[in-house]
Amino acid sequence: MINTIASRIWALLKSFQLTVVLLALLMCLVVFCTLAQVEMGTQGAVNAYMRSFIVWNQPLLLRLPFPGGALVGLLLTLNLIAKTIDIKLTWQKSGMWLVHAGLVVLFAGEFVAGMMQVDTNLSIEVGQTVNFVQSYKQMELAVIDVTDPTWDEVYSVPDTLLAKGGAVAIPGTPITLNVKKFYANAELASQTPGAPPSLATAGVGPGVSIIERPVVSADNDMNQTSAFVEPVAGGRSYGTWLVSVALGAPQSFTHEGRTYTLAMRLRRQYLPYAFTLKQFRHDVYPGTDIPKNFSSLVQVVNPSRNESREVLIYMNQPLRYEGKTFYQASFGKNDTLSVLSVVENPGWLLPYVSCVLVSLGLLVHFAIVLRRSLKRRQDKKEG
């Protein structure tokens, strides 16, 4: 009985019919994802449709569950592996084995990219030195010890942890944050007569009204993440503070001679090296405003390598460094600000390996078929 069920599952897994169904589902997901980008933005649509196992609660699908790209891709990979195993391992079939292996590697590369790729950016002005990259959408509450005028100690609380509420201990400090209220997106306004009193009792918060807004996901929109937090240290409360991306300047309090600031901001990842922007160029075609080239001349300083060198980053010529790839993405402030897109993808080599395997497999298969055809022709002549 068990053998019969296993045989039927294996037959289904390697069937051509399953391949057709999965490819049809993948085509549908591409269409849905493309249409959803209008409201959800590129990243939001890709995460919802292509990098999830099940698509839930989406208007385009009448809020019915639908297999997501991750599930379809996983089944396609298993289907391809099953079909490959079903091919006899002979010299005549070696080309097909290589082609199938290349496709499996391609699917694996997409899975690694979907699960492990991290996209950030680095904004830097001419003459400025920056040693961190920051997220496009994710936020953090930074608790910064600014006591030492030459060095800041930064402690980060991710927005996902703030959203859970409750007490959050800050490792390395005596501070615990009690999260009173969290807003994924909110609008701030000055307090008006008759408005509900603010939860804040310290900083600028007591004079500010906060209105919760729906979360946005479009590429050009950013959530104004906000929260009411109460720092507690040594058994003493330092009041309730309003922290928000919409507030320009950080707020601070002092505990036992050490000064701490609170700032809600885009999540940062600090680097063991620093970039200094020496020059930014925005070239156009003569007599027009059509962009010809964007380029950033940066100086990379890495103390751990005892390294200091200049690198030119321009269109289609990124910098690959320490596991990250820096692309020229945008600019601003009258051509004095350069924005580099930073991608960290552990599987970036897999698509190249896949292309090599598929190309080699097709060449081998073509050579074998050609040799067989020429041999048959020769046999006919001799006969």
Side-chain angles (χ1 to χ4, degrees), residues 29-41:
L29 284 170
V30 170
V31 173
F32 293 142
C33 182
T34 303
L35 295 175
Q37 290 182 33
V38 178
E39 297 294 332
M40 303 177 66

Side-chain angles (χ1 to χ4, degrees), residues 166-170 173-179 229-234 236 253:
V168 180
I170 309 299
T173 76
I175 300 172
T176 297
L177 291 178
N178 292 324
V179 183
V229 297
E230 178 193 20
V232 177
R236 175 185 173 186
F253 65 93

Side-chain angles (χ1 to χ4, degrees), residues 322-336:
E322 294 279 338
K324 291 180 169 57
T325 305
F326 298 81
Y327 299 89
Q328 184 65 59
S330 186
F331 62 96
K333 292 190 176 181
N334 296 320
D335 295 350
T336 62

Side-chain angles (χ1 to χ4, degrees), residues 168-209:
V168 180
I170 309 299
T173 76
I175 300 172
T176 297
L177 291 178
N178 292 324
V179 183
K180 299 293 188 69
K181 185 75 174 178
F182 175 80
Y183 302 88
N185 189 26
E187 178 184 343
L188 305 187
S190 299
Q191 278 277 4
T192 57
S198 173
L199 294 178
T201 60
V204 301
V208 177
S209 291

